[in-house]
């Protein structure tokens, strides 16, 4: 049987990682392929799963690089589009002493923002196990409309819908509040991944954390997961809650760690045959959710031990080895 694909929609871009000069001279910037949804697609493929990326790529040297690297990792690009109307987005990344990153984005204009609803092909949802997005494809009205259309089509197709908020306020116009569009997209999601900062952001408008969870569960969400660096992972379903420890890691670069976590979680769920019809039964089992989140946490931890995003995604063998290692 052909394995079901995790379909990732949104941006692919190039990260330029700042590297200090040993002699005090100018910094060097090393290019790495990235972009949150593209990172998740590569994470799934590196773990041996079927991954499909859908989005708009630039017809430029950086777009070529992204295509080459995704294909080299085994990501299906049959339903991706390319354009010469805008260049590939760039992100310049600096790291602090603890590997925490800060971004300076060159977007818009950018090719990924030019994907339109009409660019979706029904084939991209065939044999799909999950449809995954982040909020960075909501920053402008037209790409937001396309994102919402993709979410609706995924639900109609009976595909598990995943949303990692992955909020980057600097990508949003100064006069636009991200909150309404983010909530619009969250209403479609079966599974939601938030960072602690993103939960705090949503709580500011909803009232408190409980109101955030209630609003998500009143829509379509069945599971909410909150990550907070090395702190334990928190999770909620409609009937239960819990925490799981993370794995110790020699952190050098946190870029893409959340995407590795999501990729591991989705790959594990799709591999187990989870879909919207059996998600509640899966979540009700005493160990199933915990097992998938442990695997996700191992993937996230490993990604922090390497530079870059695509380049940092672990293999299944590496994740399994970390999970077996004594603590």
């Amino acid at each position: 049987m052909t394995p079901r694909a995790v379909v990732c929609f949104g941006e692919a871009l190039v990260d330029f990682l700042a590297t200090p000069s040993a002699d005090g001279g100018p910094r060097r910037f090393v290019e790495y392929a990235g972009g949150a949804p593209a990172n998740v697609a590569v994470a799934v493929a590196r773990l041996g799963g079927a991954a499909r990326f859908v989005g708009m790529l630039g017809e430029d040297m950086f777009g070529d690089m992204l295509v080459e690297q995704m294909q080299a990792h085994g990501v299906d690009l049959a339903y991706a589009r390319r354009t010469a109307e805008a260049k590939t987005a760039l992100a310049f990344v600096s790291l602090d002493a603890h590997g925490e990153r800060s971004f300076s984005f060159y977007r818009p204009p950018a090719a990924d923002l030019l994907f339109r609803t009409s660019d979706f092909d029904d084939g991209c949802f065939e044999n799909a196990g999950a449809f995954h997005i982040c909020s960075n494809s909501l920053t402008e009205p037209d790409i937001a409309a396309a994102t919402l259309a993709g979410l609706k089509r995924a639900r109609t197709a009976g595909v598990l819908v995943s949303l990692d908020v992955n909020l980057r306020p600097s990508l949003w116009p100064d006069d636009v509040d991200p909150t309404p569009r983010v909530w619009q997209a969250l209403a479609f999601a079966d599974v939601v991944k938030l960072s602690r900062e993103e939960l705090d952001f949503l709580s500011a408008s909803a009232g408190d954390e409980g109101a955030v969870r209630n609003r998500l569960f009143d829509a379509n969400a069945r599971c909410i997961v909150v990550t907070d660096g090395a702190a334990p992972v928190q999770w909620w379903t409609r009937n239960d809650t819990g925490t799981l420890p993370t794995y110790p890691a020699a952190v050098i670069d946190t870029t893409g760690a959340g995407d590795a976590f999501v990729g591991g979680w989705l790959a594990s769920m799709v591999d187990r045959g989870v879909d919207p019809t059996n998600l509640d039964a899966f979540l009700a089992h005493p160990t199933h959710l915990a097992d998938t989140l442990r695997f996700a946490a191992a993937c996230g931890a490993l990604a922090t031990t390497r530079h870059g995003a695509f380049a940092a995604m672990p293999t299944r063998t590496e994740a399994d080895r970390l999970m077996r290692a004594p603590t």
Side-chain angles (χ1 to χ4, degrees):
M1 179 183 294
T2 303
R4 295 180 305 150
V6 175
V7 181
C8 301
F9 172 76
E11 79 277 6
L13 52 78
V14 176
D15 294 324
F16 281 90
L17 179 62
T19 305
S21 173
D23 59 5
R27 289 180 295 178
R28 295 182 296 111
F29 288 88
V30 180
E31 68 171 7
Y32 288 95
N39 294 341
V40 173
V42 170
V44 171
R46 290 273 294 165
L47 293 168
R52 191 175 297 156
F53 176 78
V54 180
M56 188 69 74
L57 302 166
E59 292 181 355
D60 56 13
M61 61 163 43
F62 297 124
D64 291 343
M65 185 266 274
L66 291 166
V67 167
E68 291 167 4
Q69 291 215 13
M70 279 192 274
Q71 288 180 333
H73 287 297
V75 176
D76 177 7
L77 295 179
Y79 302 102
R81 304 286 183 253
R82 300 196 70 175
T83 181
E85 295 182 20
K87 302 295 185 183
T88 299
L90 307 178
F92 289 81
V93 186
S94 60
L95 303 175
D96 67 15
H98 305 289
E100 290 294 335
R101 70 277 187 275
S102 58
F103 297 97
S104 179
F105 291 101
Y106 284 69
R107 172 190 186 257
D112 65 279
L113 295 171
L114 299 182
F115 192 98
R116 298 292 177 259
T117 300
S118 59
D119 291 316
F120 276 113
D121 187 302
D122 287 339
C124 76
F125 297 101
E126 292 179 2
N127 198 39
F131 182 74
H132 175 72
I133 72 150
C134 304
S135 70
N136 297 333
S137 59
L138 301 171
T139 57
E140 294 190 354
D142 288 337
I143 185 63
T147 303
L148 295 172
L151 291 167
K152 291 175 184 175
R153 292 174 75 161
R155 292 206 68 85
T156 299
V159 176
L160 187 76
V161 174
S162 162
L163 196 153
D164 175 6
V165 171
N166 195 49
L167 186 67
R168 300 287 180 263
S170 62
L171 288 177
W172 291 77
D174 292 339
D175 60 347
V176 175
D177 177 6
T179 310
R181 289 185 198 162
V182 171
W183 275 114
Q184 222 180 338
L186 283 167
F188 289 92
D190 297 300
V191 294
V192 175
K193 187 267 184 190
L194 302 167
S195 69
R196 165 51 56 182
E197 293 81 5
E198 289 156 359
L199 179 56
D200 292 342
F201 171 82
L202 293 175
S203 297
S205 61
D208 58 26
E209 292 181 11
V212 171
R213 294 193 296 271
N214 288 340
R215 183 168 176 178
L216 290 170
F217 287 137
D218 285 344
N220 285 292
R222 258 79 72 70
C223 185
I224 304 164
V225 173
V226 176
T227 60
D228 188 13
V233 175
Q234 295 180 283
W235 59 265
W236 292 265
T237 66
R238 292 179 175 178
N239 300 307
D240 203 0
T241 183
T243 62
L244 285 168
T246 56
Y247 292 87
V251 178
I252 64 170
D253 184 354
T254 59
T255 307
D259 303 323
F261 180 99
V262 172
W265 192 28
L266 292 178
S268 186
M269 286 195 290
V270 170
D271 187 54
R272 292 165 180 257
V274 177
D275 61 34
T277 67
N278 60 26
L279 178 58
D280 287 330
F282 169 82
L283 295 171
H285 192 280
T287 62
H288 285 173
L289 176 60
D291 289 345
T292 59
L293 290 177
R294 287 191 188 96
F295 184 71
C299 293
L302 287 165
T304 69
T305 65
R306 303 163 182 160
H307 285 304
F310 287 15
M313 299 300 148
T315 64
R316 184 173 293 273
T317 298
E318 291 170 328
D320 288 342
R321 185 184 303 126
L322 179 59
M323 294 174 70
R324 291 194 304 267
T327 57

